[in-house]
Amino acid sequence: MADAEEIRDDGEYGTVTLTLEDDTELNCMILSIFPAGGKSYIALLPIEDDGTPKDEDVLLYRYIDHGDEDPELDNIDSDEEYDIAADAFDELLDEAEYEDEAGEDEEG
C-alpha cells in the first residue's frame, strides 16, 4: 500500500505525496477521484518537483474517505477490480474529450 502523506490543493489540481514500499516518495497530481463498482478510486499522475508530468502511466488506487481524517489510498489487488477502475477512468477521459470537442464546436 502507498501511504498518502499529504494531500494539498495547489489551485486547479490537488497533489499528493506517496510513500512507496521502498520508502521513496513520489509526488503526483490528482487527476480525478471517481466511483466505480461501488467503490471510490483516485487517478494520479507522477510529477517532477517543478510540477511537470513525468513520462509515466497514470496510477490508480482505491480511495477511502474517512471524513474528518486524512483519506487512505489502498492498492488494487485483483485484475478484475483494476479493470473496473481503469474502464471507469477511461470513460471519464472520453467524456472530458467529448465535452472539449463540443465546447470548441460552439466557439468556432
Side-chain angles (χ1 to χ4, degrees):
M1 175 166 78
D3 294 324
E5 284 195 354
E6 177 182 358
I7 295 180
R8 62 187 185 279
D9 186 358
D10 291 341
E12 185 175 346
Y13 297 102
T15 59
V16 62
T17 302
L18 300 179
T19 302
L20 305 178
E21 290 178 359
D22 64 359
D23 289 330
T24 60
E25 291 186 346
L26 183 63
N27 293 321
C28 297
M29 177 187 305
I30 299 171
L31 299 176
S32 183
I33 297 172
F34 58 95
K39 297 179 182 175
S40 293
Y41 296 91
I42 187 169
L44 305 172
L45 180 63
I47 56 174
E48 301 289 349
D49 290 336
D50 66 1
T52 58
K54 291 184 178 183
D55 292 331
E56 294 188 30
D57 293 328
V58 170
L59 306 175
L60 297 176
Y61 287 94
R62 198 175 308 118
Y63 179 83
I64 304 162
D65 187 356
H66 294 290
D68 293 341
E69 299 177 30
D70 289 335
E72 180 181 345
L73 304 185
D74 198 9
N75 290 330
I76 299 171
D77 297 323
S78 72
D79 290 341
E80 180 182 350
E81 183 180 0
Y82 180 84
D83 289 343
I84 290 168
D87 288 346
F89 182 66
D90 286 342
E91 286 180 28
L92 287 176
L93 292 179
D94 290 345
E95 287 174 16
E97 184 177 330
Y98 175 79
E99 288 173 5
D100 286 345
E101 290 175 3
E104 289 174 7
D105 290 344
E106 290 175 9
E107 291 175 9

